[in-house]
């Protein structure tokens, strides 16, 4: 059956290859579309696709598809509500110099409730995207990622929620930074960088003077500290940095690198994980980084990878001894596999969903 893209649903299976206006194959026949496939089709301005007849209402497959769509919608609503909430909190901090803890909870708690059972965090982060100001979206992403890292580290649900909340508020001090500095497209001058660094102290002051949350205040102050003492504002090292700040620092770096910013184009997900791995030797907490990578990389299975030799294929397996060199099944050659642990001459250039 042929349908308009606006009627396409998660779980629909394509019966024909789908091409964009310049002849690029966007999705292949037999693809069971997910929310990211639908976003991709929209981005390429595809109007119509051919799909298999849908399961009849009431069938198990129909119920699963409807449930997946409903869950995604709930997550998107909570995500955008949380972005609206952090905007409100920034504006309140500008006007009054204070935050309201009930308002923080009003926006933050539903966000965590909506994603608590999510297994594919890679897809979640790619799907929950927004064109809102970078600072606001970044705050929400850092809150989410900090929560998941905390869970993966074995923290209790309550502990993870508190650390995630600290991540949500970690950049609140930027409300006192000049808009021109925040949005400057090029490299900051020494004076501008000195001003930017003050957001950590400002955040600490705002939180301490309003909601009296010591953990969130310390995270706001310390999330740019580094284990080797190269961070700011106090140049703390290793054990002097609060454990929650170490977790939020990992989430902060990851989110910053996967987003478009005024002075930086977002990087590929695998590239960012490699950079985090490098930073775990001296700058970022190795335990937090490694548990993050260990839980993110398996979600690349089923994603498309483009190799340095021009070939592309689907990631079918990852290896615990080398997360960044998976097994790839080459497109249009069903029986051809490339094991990157053996093919050290090849690299993954990009991963797409």
């Amino acid at each position: 059956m042929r349908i308009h893209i606006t009627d396409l649903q998660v779980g629909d299976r394509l019966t024909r290859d789908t091409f964009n206006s310049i002849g690029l194959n966007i999705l292949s026949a037999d693809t069971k579309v997910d929310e990211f496939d639908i976003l991709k089709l929209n981005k390429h301005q595809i109007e119509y696709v051919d799909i298999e007849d849908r399961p009849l209402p009431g069938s198990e497959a129909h119920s699963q598809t409807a449930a997946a769509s409903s869950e995604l919608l709930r997550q998107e609503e909570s995500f955008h509500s949380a972005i609206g909430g952090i905007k409100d909190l920034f504006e309140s901090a500008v006007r009054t110099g204070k935050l309201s803890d009930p308002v923080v909870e009003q926006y933050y708690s539903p966000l965590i409730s909506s994603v608590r059972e999510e297994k594919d965090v890679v897809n979640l982060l790619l799907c929950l995207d927004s064109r809102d100001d970078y600072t606001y979206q970044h705050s929400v992403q850092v809150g989410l990622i900090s929560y998941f890292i905390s869970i993966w580290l074995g923290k209790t649900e309550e502990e993870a929620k508190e650390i995630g909340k600290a991540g949500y508020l970690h950049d609140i001090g930027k409300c006192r930074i000049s808009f021109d500095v925040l949005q400057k497209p090029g490299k900051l001058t020494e004076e501008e960088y000195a001003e930017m660094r003050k957001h950590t102290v400002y955040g600490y002051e705002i939180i301490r003077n309003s909601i009296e949350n010591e953990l969130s205040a310390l995270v706001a102050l310390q999330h740019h500290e580094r284990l080797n003492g190269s961070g700011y504002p106090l140049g703390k090292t290793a054990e002097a940095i609060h454990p929650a700040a170490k977790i939020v620092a990992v989430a902060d770096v990851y989110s910053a690198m996967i987003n478009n910013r005024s002075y930086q184009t977002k990087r590929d997900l695998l590239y960012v994980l490699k950079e985090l791995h490098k930073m775990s030797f001296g700058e970022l907490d190795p335990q937090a980084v490694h548990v993050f990578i260990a839980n993110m990389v398996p979600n690349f299975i089923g994603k498309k990878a483009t190799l340095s030799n021009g070939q592309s294929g689907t990631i079918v397996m990852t290896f615990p001894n080398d997360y960044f060199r998976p097994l790839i099944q080459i497109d249009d050659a069903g029986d051809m596999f490339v094991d990157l642990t053996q093919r050290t001459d090849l690299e993954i250039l990009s991963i797409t969903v």
Side-chain angles (χ1 to χ4, degrees):
M1 58 186 290
R2 189 167 180 78
I3 64 169
H4 193 272
I5 188 65
T6 55
D7 295 321
L8 189 62
Q9 299 176 2
V10 171
D12 284 337
R13 190 177 297 277
L14 302 182
T15 57
R16 292 185 183 180
D17 291 344
T18 302
F19 300 88
N20 67 7
S21 59
I22 61 172
L24 180 65
N25 189 346
I26 305 304
L27 291 175
S28 301
D30 204 41
T31 296
K32 186 176 181 180
V33 301
D34 57 23
E35 59 269 19
F36 307 101
D37 295 326
I38 296 174
L39 286 173
K40 184 188 296 184
L41 292 169
N42 273 304
K43 287 179 179 178
H44 284 271
Q45 299 181 329
I46 306 296
E47 290 192 44
Y48 291 92
V49 293
D50 293 285
I51 65 169
E52 291 180 353
D53 290 339
R54 288 173 177 157
L56 294 174
S59 69
E60 182 178 354
H62 180 273
S63 299
Q64 290 175 348
T65 298
S69 297
S70 176
E71 181 64 18
L72 174 61
L73 180 60
R74 187 167 73 93
Q75 290 174 343
E76 288 178 334
E77 288 176 347
S78 297
F79 180 73
H80 289 288
S81 176
I83 288 178
I86 202 70
K87 283 183 181 179
D88 289 346
L89 291 167
F90 266 67
E91 291 169 2
S92 174
V94 169
R95 291 193 312 270
T96 68
K98 294 186 177 183
L99 302 175
S100 165
D101 197 45
V103 174
V104 175
E105 286 296 324
Q106 176 187 344
Y107 293 110
Y108 170 71
S109 290
L111 175 70
I112 296 304
S113 295
S114 72
V115 302
R116 183 178 290 120
E117 303 302 323
E118 184 61 50
K119 298 296 187 290
D120 191 342
V121 180
V122 170
N123 271 1
L124 177 69
L125 294 173
L126 289 173
C127 180
L128 299 183
D129 196 7
S130 165
R131 294 182 180 180
D132 288 280
D133 183 283
Y134 162 76
T135 299
Y136 303 133
Q137 173 161 292
H138 173 69
S139 295
V140 177
Q141 285 181 342
V142 172
L144 282 173
I145 298 167
S146 299
Y147 167 80
F148 282 116
I149 293 176
S150 300
I151 290 292
W152 295 331
L153 284 170
K155 305 291 186 184
T156 66
E157 177 69 19
E158 195 58 37
E159 289 171 334
K161 285 181 67 175
E162 282 302 304
I163 295 171
K165 181 177 177 180
Y168 183 56
L169 297 175
H170 79 290
D171 266 351
I172 195 67
K174 285 184 177 178
C175 72
R176 293 186 185 174
I177 303 299
S178 163
F179 180 82
D180 291 338
V181 172
L182 284 177
Q183 298 296 324
K184 185 175 179 178
K187 185 177 180 179
L188 298 179
T189 65
E190 289 186 12
E191 293 77 12
E192 289 168 337
Y193 184 55
E195 180 185 356
M196 177 67 82
R197 286 162 53 127
K198 292 178 183 177
H199 81 273
T200 54
V201 177
Y202 293 153
Y204 176 79
E205 292 173 349
I206 290 169
I207 294 171
R208 281 292 302 272
N209 293 336
S210 50
I211 62 176
E212 298 182 354
N213 184 317
E214 185 68 17
L215 185 144
S216 288
L218 285 174
V219 165
L221 181 67
Q222 297 181 3
H223 67 275
H224 281 288
E225 300 286 3
R226 297 294 180 258
L227 302 187
N228 59 10
S230 64
Y232 64 85
L234 302 175
K236 288 182 174 291
T237 60
E239 298 305 314
I241 304 171
H242 194 283
K246 295 177 182 178
I247 291 172
V248 173
V250 175
D252 180 47
V253 171
Y254 179 81
S255 174
M257 294 181 74
I258 65 169
N259 280 290
N260 280 318
R261 304 163 78 179
S262 58
Y263 54 89
Q264 170 190 290
T265 301
K266 66 180 179 181
R267 276 79 165 237
D268 182 76
L269 294 178
L270 192 63
Y271 171 87
V272 174
L273 292 179
K274 288 180 180 178
E275 289 300 301
L276 283 176
H277 186 261
K278 291 177 185 176
M279 294 178 72
S280 71
F281 297 95
E283 295 183 70
L284 297 175
D285 180 71
Q287 188 178 12
V289 170
H290 295 166
V291 78
F292 181 54
I293 292 173
N295 281 275
M296 290 290 280
V297 168
N299 291 320
F300 286 128
I301 293 175
K303 308 296 190 297
K304 293 290 185 180
T306 300
L307 300 178
S308 54
N309 66 353
Q311 290 182 310
S312 62
T314 302
I315 297 173
V316 295
M317 184 183 297
T318 59
F319 302 105
N321 59 324
D322 194 339
Y323 288 122
F324 306 122
R325 306 194 69 80
L327 180 68
I328 298 175
Q329 184 174 16
I330 300 302
D331 288 343
D332 302 321
D335 59 348
M336 181 178 177
F337 294 83
V338 174
D339 182 351
L340 293 181
T341 63
Q342 304 300 315
R343 290 293 305 275
T344 55
D345 57 312
L346 295 178
E347 296 289 339
I348 293 177
L349 297 181
S350 65
I351 292 178
T352 55
V353 295

